[in-house]
Amino acid sequence: MTEVIMPRVTSPAAYSAEIQRRVLRDISLSDEAHAKEGDTFCLITQRWWQTWSAFVNQDLPISTNNGPSSEHQGSSVSNTLQRPPSIDNSDLICRSASENSPEFEIYDTLVEGTDYILVSEKMWNQFYEWYGGGPALARKVITRGSSETELTVEVYPLRLQLHLMTRDEQYAIRLSRKETLGQLHMMACEVFDLNSDQVRIWDYYGRRKHALLTEMDKTLDDVNIQMDQDILVEVIDQSGSNTTAVQVNGDSENHPLAFARPSRTNQSNARGSSANNGISRSSHPGLSQFQNLSFAKDKGSTSVGVSTRGSCVGLIGLLNFGNTCFMNSAIQCLVHTPEFASFFIGDFHKEINWQNPLGMEGELAMAFGELLRRLWAPGRSAFAPRAFKTKLARFAPQFGGQNQHDSQELLAFLLDGLHEDLNRVKQKPYVNTRDVDGRPDEQVADECWANHISRNDSIIVDVCQGQYKSTLVCPVCDKISVTFDPFMYLSLPLQSATPRTMTVTVFCCDGSVTPVTCTVTVPKLGRCRDLIQALSNACSLKQNEQILLAEIQDHMIHRFLDDPLMSLSSIKHDERLSAYKIPLLMRNSMYLQFVHRREDVETSTWKLYGTPLVYPVSRDATITRGDIQLIAHTILSPMLKADNSDANTSSVASNPLSTNNDSEPYSPFKQNDYSLIKFPLKLVDGNNNPIDISAEEEKTIKLSSSSMLVLLYIDWSPELVKIYEMHYLEYLPEVSKSRHGKKKARVEPVSLYSCIEAFLREEPLVPEDMWFCPQCEERRQASKKLDLWRLPTVLVIHLKRFSYSKTVKTKLERFVNFPLGDFDLTKYVANKQDLHPQVYELYAVANHYGNMGSGHYTAHVKVCLLLSWSSLFYEFYLLLFSENKWYNFDDNHVSPIGEDDVKSNAAYVLFYRRMKTDDVSLSSGAQSSAD
């Protein structure tokens, strides 16, 4: 890499701690004043550096809570620590130098301030003169940043794999990202001993020719060459044609050998994480490794010589290399979670559970930690997270390939996978769940949480997991079951703001009014109860009446829509509905369904037509054939033509619905009037045989005790049709007939609070997920009510924008007005003994633009700067502070945005962080703008 001329080693005994501090101070000040591109820096193991720092600082005054100690007190402990041994950098090296590779290879996962520190070449020479040891690990200073004015140390030069296909040879090289393509070309020729005039080099990622590298004056950085990238060395003959068997698309035509991608040294090991994108962390004034020395009193002049003033960490984009925007968006949100950043920057490998059978052998955590560290390195050079994508596809093949995927599904997998890889519980104990047995909710909830933590304990649980209360009620026996379950994120329903108009014909069973067709407006994704309420208002429903809603198919009732929580999205636009006004509290009832038929002259057969009519009766009632005749006249009486209205006066006067005395069996009529026109009625028995009931009016009809519907045919003769206004029965409109040219309804925003309330609203279980009631000992479609009980530090909220049905997949574009700060969930927490305010602040948003087929993901992130600093006693910490600036991460493009740009109808996953109590008390307490 870079050769360092070693000075002569002298005994450090001749130099006291005070002299060593002064010498290093002078060198540091000189380096700060003359730092430039091309300077050499060397790595020193953090372990040795801490030993030396303790030695030279032991005679300094020590401050206490009672004030600074005297100089005499400080010197009283002088020379209690021994001088450091010779420098030993072996714990940084993963591969020693050899004849083929004279360079020392260091671990890919070293972190400045944790594993090593950087010193200038002059400092290294001075240390070597005093202590000896080594080896010297020299690195060059390069310029970075958009203006190319920021100086930083290139700790990890690019490692490239050269492929010479004609000889079936491969060779790994190290090259600075500031070297030119011309220098890469020249090195390739030297490595394979080729004539430079006959060599071309290609970007050969994925064994495909992506680009011919011809602009020799451009740097590797300029053409976006990344770490561990493949370079194809192509030999051309004198005629200009290539002699490589590889075609332009990268597929071999003549070469039978399939080359495996070369193994990469220590890409995943137990030491830690990333190569930091190959760049050293900032040596910002006041934050250098020499801040703990006595000469570091003047803040602002303590740099070791390389400064990245103005450089902002955490602003590195990710390249899109084949529909990976879904992954890039999720990663940016996770790595900018402060708790995760501080954890993975630290020594996280100690918490990896390598033996967890539910985990990914620690490899997912290692890969994520490496990726996070690279994204928190200084500079703005985007890179492609290919190694992470490969590891992800290994454990989750559904995210492999080049297809687009759901960012929220990836987030769910990552959080769960990282939890298992970092689970501190090595042997999960058996947990015996106790019944509630009337115990207080607080006691049961704490017990369930303790049981959960005994088996699941990780940084993911600490930060992201909460607990909710789930209440199930059996619809038959009213059995109540209460459980307390953990959650990682909340998936909130998102109703469409576009209203839906639905047309339904309402029939009155008591014969008081003619049928009326009502067109009502309901929420597009509303419930059946919304439609019933709208119809009740439209037809002026009385207090003692209710609406019975039915779906009509082939002129018969296909089903009753009697579940008030049924989604209206299950009703298609071309379906036909009818509604029937019936008594409100009619017990043990069943329904007579009058289905209309008329004769087909050509075939002399009776065919169904029109809309069926419904009349409720009690199962306990004694009904005669004459009663059925009078019921038919009653429900059809409003449709009599004017000149025939007198024929039905008596039936209208004796309203059968008015008789419903619970003290005696229900009978629709106390007296019969057989002077009316007789309808040709046929009763369909259990064997589907029609029985004529037009004669023998006094004969009792035996109704089925198991069926809800009793089927009756009314056969309409031409003469009978002339007496009635048949258009009321013949035409039943579609539910939602398309109206071309109609102005699109205005889409209103929805508050995030209303989404929370919809999530917590009582809902019936879907038929596929029915609950086994222990009291009934049968599966029941119980109602389920969720309550928030324990909220996590970081609350991840998924807005359910994607709607799936058997035939249609749609995306809901509704704008959700979510608060950026002061998101107060205190009143939604069911645990009233928790008196702490539950107020959150937004720090990241994963966005989805476009439709189901061609969407694109981005992320809005409120970036915090992640810096390292040292105390007076050589201890290293992580410091997080908010810059209060939002940025848009659109793959490799990172740009600042205003707070007004954070909210959009593309918001898909929201990341909230609980505010500290002091921050909450300082807020105005006003309700968020999201209300």
Side-chain angles (χ1 to χ4, degrees):
M1 304 219 180
T2 302
E3 184 178 358
V4 177
I5 300 176
M6 297 294 189
R8 179 176 58 87
V9 180
T10 61
S11 172
Y15 301 96
S16 66
E18 174 64 22
I19 292 176
Q20 290 188 40
R21 286 200 304 271
R22 290 179 181 177
V23 171
L24 267 295
R25 176 196 61 193
D26 295 340
I27 295 176
S28 177
L29 294 176
S30 174
D31 289 338
E32 169 70 14
H34 302 94
K36 64 184 182 301
E37 184 178 11
D39 285 350
T40 300
F41 274 68
C42 296
L43 282 73
I44 293 182
T45 174
Q46 174 71 17
R47 175 179 46 79
W48 188 90
W49 166 257
Q50 290 181 349
T51 303
W52 180 81
S53 297
F55 168 70
V56 298
N57 285 324
Q58 62 181 314
D59 59 348
L60 292 177
I62 302 176
S63 298
T64 66
N65 294 335
N66 298 322
S69 302
S70 66
E71 186 174 339
H72 174 73
Q73 289 173 322
S75 61
S76 64
V77 295
S78 180
N79 298 322
T80 58
L81 296 179
Q82 295 182 353
R83 297 177 184 274
S86 60
I87 302 171
D88 182 9
N89 282 334
S90 61
D91 57 346
L92 304 180
I93 299 171
C94 64
R95 191 176 68 199
S96 301
S98 62
E99 293 183 0
N100 294 332
S101 177
E103 311 280 349
F104 288 98
E105 283 285 341
I106 64 175
Y107 285 102
D108 285 350
T109 56
L110 303 179
V111 176
E112 183 185 359
T114 300
D115 301 305
Y116 68 89
I117 60 121
L118 287 167
V119 297
S120 68
E121 183 179 12
K122 291 181 181 179
M123 286 184 175
W124 166 263
N125 289 337
Q126 187 60 69
F127 278 127
Y128 186 82
E129 180 181 345
W130 290 337
Y131 296 100
L137 304 173
R139 299 294 187 267
K140 287 292 186 181
V141 174
I142 62 174
T143 58
R144 299 289 288 173
S146 56
S147 60
E148 293 291 330
T149 58
E150 300 169 3
L151 298 179
T152 189
V153 179
E154 188 178 29
V155 177
Y156 291 91
L158 294 175
R159 179 174 51 218
L160 305 177
Q161 194 79 12
L162 303 180
H163 294 260
L164 182 62
M165 304 297 283
T166 53
R167 299 183 193 169
D168 188 15
E169 295 181 17
Q170 303 175 25
Y171 195 90
I173 63 171
R174 283 279 192 177
L175 205 60
S176 170
R177 64 196 68 239
K178 289 301 178 180
E179 299 288 2
T180 63
L181 290 177
Q183 291 164 313
L184 174 62
H185 183 272
M186 181 177 63
M187 183 174 289
C189 295
E190 292 176 357
V191 165
F192 296 118
D193 193 20
L194 299 172
N195 187 336
S196 60
D197 295 336
Q198 296 180 300
V199 171
R200 295 190 301 190
I201 54 177
W202 291 79
D203 179 346
Y204 193 48
Y205 170 70
R207 304 303 172 88
R208 292 179 179 273
K209 291 183 177 181
H210 282 272
L212 180 63
L213 305 176
T214 58
E215 300 179 81
M216 295 300 167
D217 57 336
K218 285 194 172 182
T219 66
L220 303 183
D221 224 3
D222 293 335
V223 295
N224 201 30
I225 299 297
Q226 300 293 315
M227 180 71 75
D228 289 321
Q229 189 158 333
D230 294 321
I231 301 295
L232 176 65
V233 180
E234 184 179 65
V235 180
I236 55 177
D237 56 25
Q238 298 298 330
S239 63
S241 61
N242 74 74
T243 60
T244 307
V246 178
Q247 305 303 306
V248 174
N249 62 4
D251 296 326
S252 177
E253 183 179 90
N254 301 315
H255 205 292
L257 183 62
F259 294 95
R261 191 172 182 85
S263 61
R264 292 165 183 169
T265 306
N266 292 286
Q267 283 196 352
S268 180
N269 55 67
R271 287 194 50 81
S273 208
S274 83
N276 290 335
N277 202 21
I279 306 300
S280 161
R281 202 190 319 280
S282 167
S283 301
H284 194 282
L287 297 172
S288 80
Q289 295 86 346
F290 294 90
Q291 199 172 13
N292 57 336
L293 299 183
S294 62
F295 59 78
K297 296 178 180 178
D298 182 13
K299 293 182 179 180
S301 61
T302 59
S303 172
V304 298
V306 178
S307 171
T308 56
R309 295 179 181 88
S311 174
C312 184
V313 295
L315 296 179
I316 298 177
L318 293 170
L319 294 175
N320 190 326
F321 53 100
N323 283 327
T324 57
C325 60
F326 79 96
M327 182 180 72
N328 296 345
S329 171
I331 288 173
Q332 294 292 4
C333 292
L334 287 181
V335 301
H336 286 93
T337 299
E339 288 77 8
F340 292 162
S342 59
F343 176 81
F344 284 99
I345 287 292
D347 195 9
F348 74 92
H349 71 276
K350 293 181 179 179
E351 294 202 18
I352 292 181
N353 190 336
W354 304 99
Q355 307 301 324
N356 188 356
L358 300 178
M360 284 73 176
E361 302 173 359
E363 293 191 30
L364 184 65
M366 290 294 297
F368 181 78
E370 179 179 346
L371 180 59
L372 182 144
R373 292 188 178 196
R374 293 188 68 179
L375 288 173
W376 274 110
R380 298 175 183 268
S381 178
F383 65 95
R386 289 165 179 155
F388 180 80
K389 177 77 180 321
T390 302
K391 193 73 65 177
L392 178 68
R394 174 188 171 189
F395 295 107
Q398 66 269 28
F399 298 118
Q402 302 296 313
N403 296 327
Q404 184 68 277
H405 299 280
D406 190 305
S407 182
Q408 186 272 333
E409 292 180 0
L410 173 66
L411 279 168
F413 171 81
L414 281 179
L415 290 173
D416 186 65
L418 290 174
H419 157 65
E420 295 296 352
D421 267 5
L422 299 169
N423 196 347
R424 303 178 186 109
V425 180
K426 301 301 187 289
Q427 295 292 333
K428 294 188 177 184
Y430 173 77
V431 174
N432 186 17
T433 305
R434 296 174 55 194
D435 291 334
V436 175
D437 293 333
R439 291 181 294 159
D441 284 348
E442 293 77 12
Q443 180 181 346
V444 179
D446 290 344
E447 180 183 281
C448 291
W449 187 253
N451 290 340
H452 175 65
I453 294 300
S454 69
R455 297 172 56 85
N456 302 276
D457 184 15
S458 69
I459 181 66
I460 306 299
V461 175
D462 297 341
V463 175
C464 289
Q465 284 200 358
Q467 185 183 34
Y468 58 68
K469 173 185 176 183
S470 175
T471 305
L472 291 172
V473 180
C474 178
V476 178
C477 68
D478 295 329
K479 166 71 176 178
I480 299 176
S481 173
V482 177
T483 58
F484 292 86
D485 303 303
F487 68 86
M488 192 86 74
Y489 53 88
L490 299 179
S491 288
L492 304 186
L494 182 60
Q495 293 188 354
S496 172
T498 305
R500 178 183 182 185
T501 59
M502 302 185 73
T503 301
V504 181
T505 301
V506 182
F507 297 87
C508 185
C509 296
D510 64 359
S512 58
V513 294
T514 56
V516 59
T517 299
C518 300
T519 299
V520 295
T521 300
V522 294
K524 186 175 182 179
L525 296 180
R527 305 284 178 177
C528 190
R529 62 189 175 192
D530 298 322
L531 176 57
I532 292 175
Q533 183 61 48
L535 291 173
S536 301
N537 297 335
C539 66
S540 301
L541 195 71
K542 299 176 184 178
Q543 291 186 351
N544 63 342
E545 294 177 331
Q546 62 180 334
I547 290 290
L548 178 65
L549 200 61
E551 178 185 335
I552 308 301
Q553 287 187 12
D554 298 325
H555 309 289
M556 296 179 67
I557 293 177
H558 175 65
R559 59 170 174 163
F560 286 119
L561 308 181
D562 51 0
D563 181 3
L565 297 178
M566 187 190 75
S567 175
L568 294 180
S569 61
S570 62
I571 302 175
K572 299 178 182 178
H573 296 305
D574 59 351
E575 291 179 358
R576 289 172 167 81
L577 302 184
S578 62
Y580 306 95
K581 292 197 289 184
I582 62 174
L584 180 60
L585 297 175
M586 192 166 183
R587 300 178 183 177
N588 197 22
S589 61
M590 60 192 307
Y591 302 102
L592 304 179
Q593 178 186 194
F594 292 90
V595 176
H596 312 287
R597 299 196 304 179
R598 58 184 175 186
E599 188 176 14
D600 188 336
V601 178
E602 295 181 357
T603 61
S604 299
T605 58
W606 292 92
K607 292 188 176 180
L608 305 181
Y609 88 107
T611 306
L613 299 176
V614 168
Y615 193 92
V617 295
S618 172
R619 294 182 185 273
D620 302 325
T622 301
I623 300 177
T624 66
R625 293 184 177 186
D627 292 334
I628 301 295
Q629 279 286 341
L630 196 52
I631 290 173
H633 280 283
T634 300
I635 59 179
L636 288 169
S637 61
M639 289 165 266
L640 271 173
K641 292 183 179 179
D643 54 350
N644 297 296
S645 59
D646 293 339
N648 204 51
T649 303
S650 60
S651 62
V652 176
S654 56
N655 184 357
L657 295 177
S658 63
T659 304
N660 186 15
N661 191 341
D662 293 335
S663 62
E664 56 181 297
Y666 171 76
S667 178
F669 298 103
K670 296 302 181 182
Q671 58 183 3
N672 293 330
D673 187 343
Y674 303 128
S675 62
L676 303 177
I677 300 173
K678 290 187 178 181
F679 287 105
L681 296 176
K682 292 181 174 58
L683 175 67
V684 180
D685 63 12
N687 296 322
N688 207 28
N689 297 319
I691 302 172
D692 190 351
I693 59 171
S694 301
E696 302 180 26
E697 291 83 358
E698 296 83 2
K699 189 173 182 179
T700 302
I701 295 177
K702 186 177 180 180
L703 302 178
S704 172
S705 60
S706 59
S707 177
M708 178 65 68
L709 280 173
V710 177
L711 180 57
L712 293 149
Y713 290 142
I714 301 179
D715 293 336
W716 290 87
S717 64
E719 293 77 14
L720 193 58
V721 168
K722 295 177 182 178
I723 303 175
Y724 289 89
E725 298 286 358
M726 298 304 294
H727 67 273
Y728 289 112
L729 300 174
E730 291 175 345
Y731 175 70
L732 189 65
E734 294 178 352
V735 169
S736 301
K737 191 174 182 179
S738 60
R739 294 171 175 82
H740 300 287
K742 184 178 179 180
K743 185 178 179 180
K744 188 176 181 180
R746 180 184 177 185
V747 177
E748 296 292 337
V750 62
S751 166
L752 184 58
Y753 288 104
S754 65
C755 295
I756 290 283
E757 291 165 0
F759 174 75
L760 300 178
R761 190 178 299 136
E762 184 177 354
E763 300 282 353
L765 296 176
V766 295
E768 298 80 16
D769 192 26
M770 290 198 298
W771 171 59
F772 182 82
C773 175
Q775 189 162 295
C776 297
E777 295 187 350
E778 290 187 26
R779 303 191 71 84
R780 303 293 190 189
Q781 191 174 7
S783 61
K784 184 175 183 178
K785 174 72 169 68
L786 292 179
D787 290 293
L788 300 177
W789 190 266
R790 188 190 309 266
L791 293 180
T793 301
V794 169
L795 181 62
V796 181
I797 295 178
H798 164 226
L799 301 177
K800 298 172 70 173
R801 291 196 175 276
F802 300 114
S803 175
Y804 302 91
S805 65
K806 293 182 179 179
T807 57
V808 181
K809 296 180 180 181
T810 58
K811 180 190 174 186
L812 304 176
E813 298 283 356
R814 189 172 190 181
F815 178 80
V816 177
N817 190 8
F818 51 89
L820 301 185
D822 293 332
F823 181 37
D824 193 352
L825 294 175
T826 306
K827 70 176 183 179
Y828 298 104
V829 178
N831 182 12
K832 299 308 177 185
Q833 291 190 359
D834 185 359
L835 302 179
H836 296 89
Q838 304 292 330
V839 184
Y840 287 80
E841 182 179 22
L842 187 75
Y843 70 91
V845 182
N847 303 301
H848 180 273
Y849 298 91
N851 53 37
M852 295 285 293
S854 58
H856 179 62
Y857 287 95
T858 68
H860 295 332
V861 177
K862 193 174 186 180
V863 176
C864 298
L865 301 185
L866 186 65
L867 304 176
S868 64
W869 62 287
S870 59
S871 72
L872 182 64
F873 302 107
Y874 59 84
E875 296 177 4
F876 282 77
Y877 298 90
L878 293 171
L879 175 64
L880 286 168
F881 68 90
S882 175
E883 194 188 20
N884 290 322
K885 289 184 180 179
W886 284 90
Y887 290 85
N888 177 44
F889 288 79
D890 186 356
D891 288 332
N892 58 309
H893 301 288
V894 181
S895 57
I897 58 173
E899 284 193 350
D900 295 339
D901 298 322
V902 175
K903 296 182 182 182
S904 73
N905 61 354
Y908 184 42
V909 184
L910 309 175
F911 291 77
Y912 280 94
R913 189 166 180 259
R914 184 160 48 208
M915 299 172 64
K916 296 180 180 178
T917 305
D918 294 341
D919 297 334
V920 174
S921 62
L922 291 175
S923 66
S924 62
Q927 184 60 279
S928 169
S929 60
D931 284 332

